């Protein structure tokens, strides 16, 4: 293998590594955005419990 071929192979590997790193960062950002969206949807769909008033604040445990 010639020196030129070795240098060319090293540069190609470096470019590949940089491209993979950029793709991984994009994937992480996308997954983080999806996690935030799903969390917001689940929180919005969860009913809130009453904290004051005569209804929904006491549980009758006598049966």
């Amino acid at each position: 293998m010639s020196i030129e071929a070795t240098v060319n192979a090293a540069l190609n590997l470096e470019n590949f590594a940089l491209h993979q790193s950029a793709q991984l960062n994009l994937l992480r950002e996308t997954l983080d955005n999806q996690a935030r969206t799903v969390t917001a949807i689940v929180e919005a769909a969860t009913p809130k419990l009453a904290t004051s008033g005569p209804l929904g604040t006491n549980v009758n445990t006598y049966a």
Side-chain angles (χ1 to χ4, degrees):
M1 185 180 256
S2 69
I3 300 249
E4 291 85 14
T6 303
V7 169
N8 191 26
L11 290 174
N12 286 337
L13 285 174
E14 184 177 351
N15 287 338
F16 178 76
L18 288 174
H19 184 261
Q20 288 296 97
S21 177
Q23 291 294 325
L24 183 60
N25 287 337
L26 179 61
L27 176 62
R28 284 183 184 147
E29 185 177 324
T30 302
L31 290 175
D32 288 343
N33 286 337
Q34 288 179 351
R36 283 190 292 273
T37 301
V38 168
T39 300
I41 291 170
V42 168
E43 286 177 355
T46 304
K48 304 299 181 222
L49 300 176
T51 57
S52 63
L55 297 176
T57 56
N58 296 318
V59 177
N60 184 356
T61 58
Y62 300 103

